[in-house]
Amino acid sequence: MSTLLEVEDLCVDLAAPDGTLRLVDGVSFKVAAGETVGLVGESGCGKSMTAFALLNLFPTPRLKASSGAIRFEGRDLMSLSPQAWRGMRGARLAMVFQDPSGFLDPLMPVGRQIAETLISHGRKRGVAERVHELLALLEMPDPAIVAGKYPHELSGGQRQRVLIAAALAMEPALLIADEPTTALDVTVQAGILEVLARLRDRLGLAMLLITHDLGVVAESCERVYVMYAGRIVETASATELFARPRHPYTRGLLKSTLPFEGRGELFSIPGRVPGPRRAGSGGPASCRFAPRCPAAQPDPCGLRDPALVARQGANEEGADACFRSGEIAGADIWAGSGR
Amino acid sequence: MSAAPQAQSRESRAAQPDALLAAHSVACHFQVSAGSRLFGRHRTLKAVDTVSLALTPGEIVALVGESGSGKSTLGRLLLGLAPPSAGRVSYRGEDITALEGEAWRRYRREVQVVFQDTGTSLNPRRAVGDAVALPLHYNLGLDQREAGPRADALLDQVGLAPATFRRRLPHELSGGQRQRIGLARALASEPRVIIADEPVSALDVSVRAQMLTLMQKLAKEQGVALLVITHDLGVVRAIADRVLVMYLGRIVEEGESAEVILRPRHPYTGALLAATPIADPARRGTRRATALRGDPPSVTDLPAGCRFRSRCPQAEALCAEREPLLVQVSEGSSAACLFPAGGRYLKRRP
C-alpha cells in the first residue's frame, strides 16, 4: 500500500505566559491509503493536538506546529499557503469531532450544512442530489426528509452521521476522527463503527481514529500508535499490540480495560500524565513514563529519554520506546501495583 | 402465568425489610403537546412506567439502558427531585413525600447524587475545595476550621492532590477531575445511598478503575448502597452485584450481574452486550452483528404489546398482542419477554 500521510518529527508548541510548552514532542507516523490507524492514549497525551496540526486548525493562535514535516499525497502540508489549505481541508483531508452538536448550526437544516462543504469547494450543480446520496451512504432512512431537519430534531447518533456525511462530501482520501463515538450509546456506536468500516471498503477511505477506548481500537484498526506525554511510545499492528504489548504503558493501559468475561481485578496505572515540558530546555533527562513505571531503574531510565526502536525479530512494523522492554517482556510488571 | 404471582414477587423484592431506598411501582409521566401548544394533541410521555427496585446496604446495583430509556428520570424520582405520577418511593420504610423536619433532612443528607454533567452542577465561581467543604458545614455542622482538613481528606480520597486542587475553579479542571469533585462532594455528607449518573463515562481507562475501586470500597467497607446509572456494560461487569436493564421506561431484565451478562434472557440485553466492543482484535467479527437497527421508538408513541418488538430480531405475532411482564426465568434473573432465551415461560414454537 502506498503511503498517504507521513508525519515526521512533528512538534506542537503552546506559547504560555511563562515560556513555550511543547505539547507534542517529535511524533512520527504513517497512514497508508485505505488503512485504519488508531492513535490511543490518556487525555493530555497530545492526541488531539496532533490531529489539529494535521489540519492546521488550532483552537487558539498560541498553538503552532513548530517543527517537523507533514507529507500528504506527496505535498508538504507545513508549507501550504492559506489559499492552498482551503482547497485541501474538507476536500482531501477531513475531520470529525467528538461532540456532534457543537459543530452543527442549530438554526440551519442539516442538509444545507452538508451542502455548504460542497458549495465552498466550488460545486454548483447537483448539490441536493449529492447531499441525499451522502445521507444514504451513511445509512440514514429517508435522506430527503432528514436533510430538511434541524439538528435538535435528530438523535445524537444521527447528528454524528450527518457530520460524517459532511466530512465525506468531497470524497477525502483521509478522515481524521477524534473520539467519534465516545459520547454515544454502545448500540449507536456499534452502528457507526460498522458504517465506517463499510465506507473504508467501498471508498478506499483511510482513517486516523483517535480514541482512548481500546475496545474501539481492537474492533476497527489495523495498526495502532500509543501516545504518552507528547510522544509515541509504541506502535504495532493491532493484533500484535493486543497480543504482545511491549511498553509498560501499553501493558498498563491494556490491563486497565474492563475484562469482558467475569469480574477481573480492577486495575489502574498509578499517578498521572505529567504536564508538558518546556520547549528547548535541553535534552530531556529521563524517560517520561519512569515516574509511573514499575520497571523503571535509575540507569538508564532516569538518565535518558528512550527513542522509538524497532522490535527485533518479531514483525518489522512494531517499535517501542522503552530501554527495558526486551528484558521485562516475560515478567508481569504490573502485578501487585496500581490497585 | 397470570400477572398476580409476578406482581407479588416484584412487590416482595421491593419490600425487603432491609431495603434502604426503594421504589414501589413508580411511574413518571410528562404531558407533551404535539404541534401547537393550544390546539396540538396532548400526549403523555411515560418516561418511567411502573418500576420497582430496592437498594440494600453494601449493594451495588447498576441501571443500564440507552439514552432516553428513563434511567436518569428514575434516579431523579429516587432522589425526590421529581414527584412520581404513580407509586411511591420509600426511604427506611417511610414514604419520602411524608417525610418532614429532621426525617426529611436526614433523607436529603443520607441520599446523595453524583450528576453526569459536572460542568453545570458545580458553581463556576466557587473553588472546588470550598464546594466540597459546603456540605460539611450545612449537613454535618462543622465549622470552617474543622471542615478544611476534612475537605482535603475527601479530595485525597478521590485521587486529587489537595494542595494542587483546593483553590482551583471548576473550569480549570478536566471533565474527569470535575466528576471526582462531584463524588467527593457527595461523600462529604456521609451518605448511606449514592446515586451516580454515568460516574465514569467521561474518564480515561486508568482513572476509571480508580473510581470504580473507590465505589466498591464504599459499598463493601462502609455499607453504602450504590445505584450506578450507566450505559457501559463493562462497568456493570466490573462492580455491580445486581443489574437492572431499562428500555423505554420499563425494566426489561433484572438479576445478578454475573448471570445476566453470561446468560442474557431478554433480546435487548443480548443486543447491548453484542454492541459492546471487546479489546481483543483476535475476536474481531466473532461477536454477533448488532441486532439493533435505528433508534428506539418515541416514548409518546409506544407500539402495542411488547415495546421492544419494533427493534427485536426475534419478534413474533404474539408480541404485538400481549405486553410481557417481568417474570423470573432462572435462578438469578427475571426478564420481561414472552420468549426469553433459554426461558421456561413460553416455549418457542418451531
Side-chain angles (χ1 to χ4, degrees):
Chain A
M1 271 190 280
S2 62
T3 303
L4 179 69
L5 173 78
E6 188 172 7
V7 175
E8 226 177 87
D9 217 8
L10 175 74
C11 295
V12 174
D13 288 352
L14 171 74
D18 51 347
T20 306
L21 296 175
R22 181 145 289 177
L23 306 184
V24 175
D25 193 359
V27 158
S28 305
F29 62 91
K30 288 178 186 173
V31 180
E35 189 186 28
T36 302
V37 173
L39 189 59
V40 297
E42 290 166 276
S43 331
C45 281
K47 308 185 298 282
S48 296
M49 288 302 145
T50 307
F52 290 139
L54 293 179
L55 286 166
N56 189 18
L57 200 65
F58 291 108
T60 137
R62 293 191 297 147
L63 279 164
K64 73 175 206 305
S66 56
S67 65
I70 304 172
R71 276 184 294 278
F72 176 71
E73 294 187 317
R75 296 173 75 179
D76 179 12
L77 294 189
M78 300 277 272
S79 62
L80 283 191
S81 66
Q83 285 81 359
W85 259 119
R86 269 201 288 280
M88 180 70 80
R89 225 186 266 134
R92 303 303 304 153
L93 263 174
M95 183 152 177
V96 188
F97 300 87
Q98 175 174 354
D99 169 26
S101 28
F103 292 89
L104 288 171
D105 184 335
L107 299 177
M108 198 193 271
V110 294
R112 264 180 64 199
Q113 305 194 42
I114 299 173
E116 270 196 336
T117 316
L118 293 162
I119 293 163
S120 67
H121 283 105
R123 181 119 168 199
K124 292 196 177 69
R125 288 208 202 123
V127 170
E129 289 74 27
R130 176 72 181 143
V131 168
H132 296 172
E133 193 183 306
L134 283 163
L135 288 171
L137 192 67
L138 268 295
E139 297 170 15
M140 302 271 273
D142 311 316
I145 298 171
V146 172
K149 290 200 170 182
Y150 289 90
H152 77 269
E153 297 176 287
L154 302 178
S155 68
Q158 288 173 323
R159 283 198 287 258
Q160 191 60 281
R161 281 170 196 246
V162 165
L163 273 182
I164 297 173
L168 296 181
M170 296 301 294
E171 298 184 359
L174 176 67
L175 179 69
I176 301 164
D178 191 358
E179 306 272 8
T181 57
T182 307
L184 306 173
D185 279 329
V186 280
T187 47
V188 180
Q189 165 173 290
I192 287 190
L193 292 178
E194 272 173 33
V195 167
L196 285 174
R198 273 198 286 277
L199 289 175
R200 181 185 58 201
D201 299 342
R202 235 169 99 181
L203 310 176
L205 180 72
M207 212 170 12
L208 182 65
L209 185 64
I210 300 173
T211 180
H212 69 268
D213 189 335
L214 289 162
V216 170
V217 170
E219 293 279 335
S220 44
C221 295
E222 288 146 64
R223 258 178 339 107
V224 188
Y225 290 93
V226 182
M227 233 176 140
Y228 184 75
R231 286 221 152 185
I232 285 177
V233 295
E234 180 159 8
T235 173
S237 70
T239 334
E240 180 71 14
L241 188 95
F242 282 84
R244 281 173 290 280
R246 304 259 301 177
H247 195 283
Y249 179 61
T250 317
R251 294 172 65 175
L253 273 187
L254 282 172
K255 197 170 175 191
S256 48
T257 57
L258 301 170
F260 192 73
E261 277 102 10
R263 186 174 301 192
E265 190 186 339
L266 284 172
F267 170 84
S268 68
I269 303 172
R272 301 178 190 97
V273 180
R277 297 187 179 189
R278 249 168 239 293
S281 60
S286 68
C287 169
R288 284 150 212 249
F289 190 60
R292 299 171 78 184
C293 182
Q297 288 180 342
D299 184 16
C301 308
L303 299 178
R304 280 168 289 136
D305 204 6
L308 199 62
V309 180
R311 295 180 184 190
Q312 282 151 7
N315 75 345
E316 71 287 358
E317 282 259 35
D320 58 76
C322 176
F323 293 117
R324 308 193 61 224
S325 60
E327 272 172 73
I328 57 174
D332 187 5
I333 48 167
W334 287 106
S337 63
R339 269 288 282 185
Chain B
M1 220 155 294
S2 68
Q6 192 267 329
Q8 195 187 3
S9 77
R10 234 197 298 172
E11 199 48 44
S12 64
R13 204 173 307 135
Q16 284 169 12
D18 54 345
L20 266 177
L21 186 63
H24 311 268
S25 306
V26 288
C28 188
H29 299 172
F30 298 103
Q31 295 299 324
V32 289
S33 50
S36 145
R37 187 175 281 273
L38 260 179
F39 304 110
R41 278 178 302 149
H42 286 263
R43 286 171 159 178
T44 308
L45 185 156
K46 296 179 177 173
V48 175
D49 190 4
T50 329
V51 167
S52 299
L53 70 92
L55 299 172
T56 53
E59 188 185 33
I60 303 180
V61 178
L63 184 61
V64 297
E66 291 168 286
S67 19
S69 60
K71 313 185 295 271
S72 298
T73 309
L74 180 57
R76 291 174 62 85
L77 290 176
L78 291 170
L79 287 161
L81 296 175
S85 316
R88 60 190 187 90
V89 175
S90 66
Y91 184 63
R92 294 183 188 267
E94 287 184 67
D95 190 337
I96 60 164
T97 51
L99 295 178
E100 276 182 340
E102 182 47 38
W104 171 249
R105 280 193 293 278
R106 180 180 177 198
Y107 161 71
R108 295 305 291 237
R109 185 175 67 234
E110 294 188 346
V111 180
Q112 288 290 322
V113 60
V114 181
F115 286 109
Q116 179 172 10
D117 183 3
T118 43
T120 54
S121 60
L122 288 169
N123 182 341
R125 304 283 301 275
R126 174 168 280 141
V128 294
D130 295 340
V132 175
L134 266 187
L136 293 170
H137 176 60
Y138 285 119
N139 282 340
L140 304 183
L142 300 185
D143 64 31
Q144 220 160 19
R145 218 160 16 89
E146 298 166 309
R150 279 285 283 280
D152 284 359
L154 286 163
L155 287 178
D156 202 46
Q157 197 179 0
V158 296
L160 298 172
T164 328
F165 287 95
R166 198 188 294 133
R167 306 284 351 139
R168 298 248 183 118
L169 293 173
H171 76 267
E172 297 174 298
L173 303 182
S174 72
Q177 289 167 342
R178 280 202 296 263
Q179 196 88 48
R180 286 187 271 170
I181 293 293
L183 182 64
R185 210 165 176 228
L187 292 178
S189 305
E190 298 178 356
R192 304 311 308 152
V193 179
I194 296 178
I195 295 173
D197 196 352
E198 301 283 6
V200 295
S201 49
L203 304 181
D204 276 320
V205 276
S206 55
V207 185
R208 186 169 62 182
Q210 237 170 300
M211 277 284 273
L212 294 176
T213 311
L214 176 60
M215 292 197 278
Q216 243 175 356
K217 259 200 204 151
L218 286 170
K220 301 306 162 224
E221 289 168 17
Q222 297 178 32
V224 175
L226 273 147
L227 180 70
V228 180
I229 301 174
T230 180
H231 67 264
D232 186 345
L233 286 157
V235 172
V236 177
R237 266 191 292 268
I239 63 164
D241 301 309
R242 211 145 52 80
V243 57
L244 305 167
V245 182
M246 210 165 167
Y247 185 72
L248 296 181
R250 277 270 168 96
I251 304 284
V252 295
E253 181 154 5
E254 169 179 4
E256 291 159 16
S257 59
E259 168 73 14
V260 169
I261 282 161
L262 208 60
R263 281 178 289 274
R265 305 294 181 163
H266 197 284
Y268 178 62
T269 317
L272 281 182
L273 278 166
T276 308
I278 309 170
D280 182 1
R283 290 172 59 178
R284 189 183 297 173
T286 57
R287 62 174 194 172
R288 272 184 299 144
T290 30
L292 291 188
R293 290 276 161 237
D295 293 310
S298 159
V299 198
T300 55
D301 215 3
L302 287 174
C306 173
R307 56 191 68 201
F308 185 59
R309 85 185 150 85
S310 58
R311 294 170 88 196
C312 183
Q314 301 153 25
E316 299 195 17
L318 187 63
C319 301
E321 291 163 24
R322 234 201 275 173
E323 172 145 27
L325 295 163
L326 196 63
V327 283
Q328 192 162 20
V329 283
S330 76
E331 192 80 354
S333 67
S334 311
C337 179
L338 296 178
F339 307 103
R344 52 177 188 225
Y345 181 30
L346 277 181
K347 278 275 174 287
R348 174 175 290 277
R349 287 157 301 176

